[in-house]
Structure formats: structure tokens, C-alpha cells
Amino acid sequence: MNILIIKHGSLGDLVVSFGAMKTLRLNYPNSNIYLLTQSNYKKIFINLPYVNEILTDDRIAIFPSLKNLLSIVKEKKINLVIDLQNSSRTEIYNFFLKIFTKCKILST
């Protein structure tokens, strides 16, 4: 399974989400888990043990970000997207993911 976690926001919000990422890693030890976050956090958490790779979305404009997300889902063959951000932006992401991909989405 290939899992994409979406988590933007402040540094503290990202750190708080590490518990969820650790739980995912424990429950899916053989899965590829990717974290989609801002590029400045990639530099800080480059060796985060719960994910295989940190991917970036700097949220500059919605359509370039959406294009980036869709290409990531296709390239990494994502089966499951876990939206830990739950923002109006990720609602848009999820809407387009439902239309253009077959991946499952967990979000509130």
C-alpha cells in the first residue's frame, strides 16, 4: 500500500501529528508512507522515521498545488490519502482526488 499524509500548518501542528504518523507506520510496516507538507519543514524533518519520503506543497496557488498533488498520487501510485490538515484547501484537494483518482481518502 502507498499512503499519502497531507499536513500543512504550523510547526507545532506538524509535531502534534507525529503520533498519528507513528501509529500508521506501526500498523502498515511494509507500506510506503509519504508526507506532503511545506518545503521548509522538509529540511527540518528530513529523517522523520515514520515516513519514507517528505514531499512538498508550498500552497502558493490552488491550481499549481492541485496539479502537483495529482502528479504525486499518480507517480507514487497512492492508494490512500490521509488528510490531517482538514482545511478548506484540502477539501478542494479531496474533491479533485475523488474525481481524477481511485485512491481512498480519509478526512473529516
Side-chain angles (χ1 to χ4, degrees), residues 42-60:
K42 181 176 183 174
K43 296 170 191 170
I44 296 171
F45 298 111
I46 193 70
N47 295 316
L48 187 64
Y50 314 123
V51 299
N52 296 82
E53 187 177 350
I54 299 175
L55 308 170
T56 60
D57 174 16
D58 285 322
R59 302 178 294 164
I60 296 168

Side-chain angles (χ1 to χ4, degrees), residues 8-21:
H8 301 107
S10 69
L11 180 60
D13 288 342
L14 184 60
V15 171
V16 168
S17 69
F18 288 174
M21 291 181 213

Side-chain angles (χ1 to χ4, degrees), residues 3-7 24 28 80-85 104-107:
I3 302 168
L4 178 67
I5 300 168
I6 301 174
K7 185 62 181 146
L24 280 168
Y28 297 94
L80 175 62
V81 174
I82 300 176
D83 178 10
L84 294 181
Q85 189 60 36
K104 293 183 180 181
I105 302 164
L106 295 178
S107 182

Side-chain angles (χ1 to χ4, degrees), residues 48-102:
L48 187 64
Y50 314 123
V51 299
N52 296 82
E53 187 177 350
I54 299 175
L55 308 170
T56 60
D57 174 16
D58 285 322
R59 302 178 294 164
I60 296 168
I62 190 68
F63 289 111
S65 291
L66 188 56
K67 182 179 177 184
N68 178 51
L69 174 64
L70 291 171
S71 67
I72 287 170
V73 168
K74 182 179 178 183
E75 176 188 326
K76 302 292 185 184
K77 298 179 181 164
I78 300 297
N79 309 96
L80 175 62
V81 174
I82 300 176
D83 178 10
L84 294 181
Q85 189 60 36
N86 294 310
S87 66
S88 56
R89 176 181 278 276
T90 58
E91 282 183 39
I92 295 167
Y93 288 179
N94 296 340
F95 176 77
F96 283 98
L97 285 170
K98 288 176 186 174
I99 292 172
F100 293 110
T101 74
K102 294 183 182 191

